[in-house]
Amino acid sequence: GVDGFDRVDNVLLEMILATALREEPGAACQAILPVIVGPALEGGGFGTFPFHKLARLSDEPSRATNAHAAAALRILGVVEDKVQAVLRLSVKQVVDSVLGNQGVHSSALEDFATECATRVLKTVLEEMRRLRSG
C-alpha cells in the first residue's frame, strides 16, 4: 500500500476478480462500469471522488490481495497462467483497468442504486455458478 503496509483490500480484491472473470471465455460480463463515490457526507449522500489520489497508487502488487484473488480464481477453475498473471498485477494496473471505462457517480443513480446493485450481484452470482459447473 501507499504506507508500505500490505493487507487484503476488499475493493481491490473485487476489482481484480471482476476483471479476471470478465476475461474468461463465455463470460456474461462484457464490461465493468464502476459506481464512483467520494467520502460519505454528514447529511447523507457522497462527496466528490478524490481522483487526485489515484496518482499515489502503487506500481507494485498488493501481494496479500492478489494472493486472495488467486486462491478464489483457482477455486473457480481459472487456468494457472491467468492466475499467475493476476499475482503480478500492480494496484495501479488494476484500478486503471477498471476505471478505463467511464464510471457513474453515485448521485446520478439516486433511486436506482439498489436496483443496480441487485442486478450486478445477480450477474456475479450467476457467473460464479457457471464457472464452478463448467
Side-chain angles (χ1 to χ4, degrees), residues 44-67:
F46 296 92
T48 304
F49 185 83
F51 284 101
H52 64 280
K53 289 186 177 182
L54 295 177
R56 294 183 7 211
L57 292 174
S58 176
D59 288 319
E60 296 296 320
S62 167
R63 297 199 195 299
T65 305
N66 292 20

Side-chain angles (χ1 to χ4, degrees), residues 107-120:
S107 63
L109 297 176
E110 294 180 10
D111 294 335
F112 300 109
T114 301
E115 181 181 343
C116 290
T118 301
R119 287 182 183 192
V120 168

Side-chain angles (χ1 to χ4, degrees), residues 62-108:
S62 167
R63 297 199 195 299
T65 305
N66 292 20
H68 270 69
L73 293 171
R74 285 184 182 112
I75 290 168
L76 294 170
V78 173
V79 296
E80 190 60 27
D81 287 350
K82 289 184 180 181
V83 172
Q84 290 300 314
V86 162
L87 289 169
R88 293 187 298 272
L89 289 172
S90 75
V91 173
K92 187 175 194 66
Q93 286 174 311
V94 173
V95 174
D96 285 350
S97 171
V98 172
L99 294 181
N101 295 314
Q102 275 191 311
V104 176
H105 191 281
S106 63
S107 63

